[in-house]
Amino acid sequence: MYNFSYFKEKDRQAVVDFMEEYPFAFLTGSHLTGTQVATQIPLLIEERQGELFLQGHIMRNTDHYKAFVENPHALVVFTGPNTYVSASWYSNPQIGSTWNYMSVHIHGQIKFMPDADLIRLMKKMTLHFEKGNTQSPTVYDNLPDGFLKKMMPAIAGFEIRVDRLENVFKLSQNRDEKSYQTIISKLEQQGGGSSLIAAEMQKRKAELFPAGIEWDENKFDS
């Protein structure tokens, strides 16, 4: 990852909240031969006794399922909004432009679930993404038996205990206050994902530029 301390989110709960807000993650691994595999899937995040766990399911008849049976080591990547940031918005524009983004990397090992646990997962997952609506026809308990008998054997539920968590919340923390505010204004004007990045930057402005403290560019590596 982009390993600069000032691009790291230090609030653990803020990182977990980010993962929950953007749960459609890249699950990547490799066969023992080194052939890589990847898929994108929605994931649930649970905390138990201070440890984080990811839960989800994948289709059995796929290259990624077969790879994880051989080699359980997994990398999960959560990504959120991202946007181009033009150096023309800086107080000193004679440097390179950049890209602002937010990303969390999870390292751990996949453990596939027995059937009973898969059923519990599907009940929990369908209800979660239906926002607790027990009357929805697509939550597990309301699905037809014929559909479940056909589909459930085709999927494999899994859990990953988070062994290592890394993040990059690259939000122009290394720019001076005038540049920082200009970037926010420009991104707000663009709308879409750019405005979401602007909102994240706005949240951090008071902490980055506390009143009465002079900004020091020498504390940044780039």
Side-chain angles (χ1 to χ4, degrees):
M1 295 194 89
Y2 205 57
N3 197 26
F4 292 104
S5 61
Y6 44 88
F7 292 145
K8 303 294 185 183
E9 175 55 61
K10 297 175 179 62
D11 184 342
R12 183 175 184 269
Q13 189 57 51
V15 174
V16 173
D17 290 345
F18 170 81
M19 294 160 61
E20 290 178 337
E21 187 174 0
Y22 300 99
F24 194 55
F26 286 93
L27 172 65
T28 67
S30 67
H31 288 272
L32 291 176
T33 60
T35 302
Q36 295 175 310
V37 294
T39 188
Q40 280 184 271
I41 54 173
L43 294 170
L44 294 180
I45 298 99
E46 285 194 352
E47 185 166 3
R48 301 196 294 267
Q49 297 180 333
E51 290 190 306
L52 287 177
F53 296 84
L54 308 180
Q55 295 180 330
H57 64 86
I58 55 179
M59 300 299 292
R60 290 184 182 273
N61 189 27
T62 56
D63 58 346
H64 41 273
Y65 173 74
K66 295 170 186 175
F68 286 122
V69 169
E70 289 182 15
N71 177 11
H73 295 281
L75 168 65
V76 183
V77 179
F78 292 84
T79 60
N82 64 87
T83 186
Y84 176 73
V85 174
S86 172
S88 68
W89 304 338
Y90 299 167
S91 300
N92 172 19
Q94 300 300 307
I95 57 176
S97 299
T98 191
W99 209 277
N100 279 3
Y101 65 95
M102 304 168 76
S103 182
V104 175
H105 288 194
I106 299 291
H107 300 263
Q109 294 193 36
I110 279 187
K111 180 181 179 182
F112 286 105
M113 299 176 174
D115 291 343
D117 288 347
L118 173 59
I119 291 172
R120 282 191 285 270
L121 169 65
M122 296 310 296
K123 289 185 176 188
K124 182 170 54 178
M125 180 170 270
T126 54
L127 195 59
H128 175 79
F129 287 114
E130 284 294 308
K131 303 188 184 304
N133 179 14
T134 58
Q135 302 307 308
S136 170
T138 194
V139 299
Y140 183 92
D141 286 337
N142 297 337
L143 290 169
D145 288 342
F147 175 80
L148 294 174
K149 287 178 181 177
K150 178 181 178 182
M151 293 303 298
M152 290 296 283
I155 63 176
F158 66 84
E159 181 172 88
I160 300 173
R161 188 186 70 183
V162 177
D163 293 331
R164 189 164 92 249
L165 183 153
E166 302 173 296
N167 76 81
V168 171
F169 284 19
K170 185 173 178 292
L171 300 168
S172 296
Q173 295 96 323
N174 56 338
R175 301 272 69 89
D176 63 274
E177 186 172 6
K178 180 181 177 182
S179 299
Y180 195 86
Q181 185 56 56
T182 301
I183 294 167
I184 290 175
S185 298
K186 294 290 188 180
L187 295 181
E188 287 175 339
Q189 292 171 20
Q190 291 179 182
S194 298
S195 64
L196 295 176
I197 290 290
E200 292 293 337
M201 292 176 64
Q202 190 66 52
K203 290 179 189 176
R204 293 161 171 79
K205 184 178 177 182
E207 182 179 354
L208 284 170
F209 306 104
I213 297 179
E214 186 175 351
W215 186 82
D216 180 14
E217 67 178 4
N218 295 322
K219 64 182 178 180
F220 301 106
D221 299 315
S222 66

